[in-house]
């Protein structure tokens, strides 16, 4: 069985002055998290906002509990590394035979 676990989160970066500064920070975070947790990550919404970003993460594995644990570790990392304020997040997994 294949399981795809997904995380969608909205993060606020207060005090950013420009979209260019936001883009630099978001690209750095995306690269760091993709490398550390072996996930796919993309900016999925709020690209026109200067202080908010909505990121989507995906992880493929063979057990729902493993995929959802990876997604929770990403949330914990974002909270503990003070990489902005998390306003909302959702974790969801889909199973495929």
């Amino acid at each position: 069985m294949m399981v795809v676990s997904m995380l969608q989160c909205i993060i606020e970066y207060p005090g950013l002055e420009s979209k260019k500064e936001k883009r630099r920070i978001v690209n750095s975070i995306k690269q760091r998290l993709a490398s550390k947790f072996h996930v796919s990550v993309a900016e999925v919404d709020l690209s026109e906002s200067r202080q908010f970003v909505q990121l989507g993460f995906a992880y493929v594995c063979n057990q729902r509990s493993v995929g959802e644990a990876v997604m929770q570790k990403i949330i914990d990392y974002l909270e503990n590394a003070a990489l902005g304020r998390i306003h909302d997040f959702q974790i969801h997994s889909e199973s495929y035979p």
Side-chain angles (χ1 to χ4, degrees):
M1 172 176 28
M2 178 177 80
V3 176
V4 179
S5 294
M6 298 160 278
L7 165 65
Q8 189 173 30
C9 65
I10 297 175
I11 306 168
E12 179 185 11
Y13 296 99
L16 293 183
E17 300 291 325
S18 68
K19 289 182 190 175
K20 184 176 180 180
E21 184 180 8
K22 174 191 163 187
R23 188 172 42 251
R24 181 184 56 77
I25 290 170
V26 169
N27 285 337
S28 173
I29 289 167
K30 286 172 29 181
Q31 290 173 355
R32 192 175 331 155
L33 293 172
S35 175
K36 182 172 182 65
F37 295 103
H38 306 287
V39 295
S40 296
V41 57
E43 184 175 1
V44 295
D45 200 5
L46 304 175
S47 58
E48 294 301 314
S49 172
R50 275 188 294 145
Q51 296 187 344
F52 289 89
V53 62
Q54 185 169 359
L55 296 177
F57 300 85
Y59 184 74
V60 178
C61 58
N62 61 359
Q63 291 181 346
R64 179 181 296 261
S65 60
V66 171
E68 290 181 358
V70 169
M71 296 299 132
Q72 188 59 54
K73 287 179 184 177
I74 291 170
I75 291 295
D76 294 343
Y77 180 83
L78 288 169
E79 289 175 339
N80 294 330
L83 300 173
R85 285 188 216 134
I86 298 175
H87 279 268
D88 186 32
F89 71 90
Q90 296 175 354
I91 296 173
H92 179 73
S93 292
E94 292 282 335
S95 299
Y96 301 93

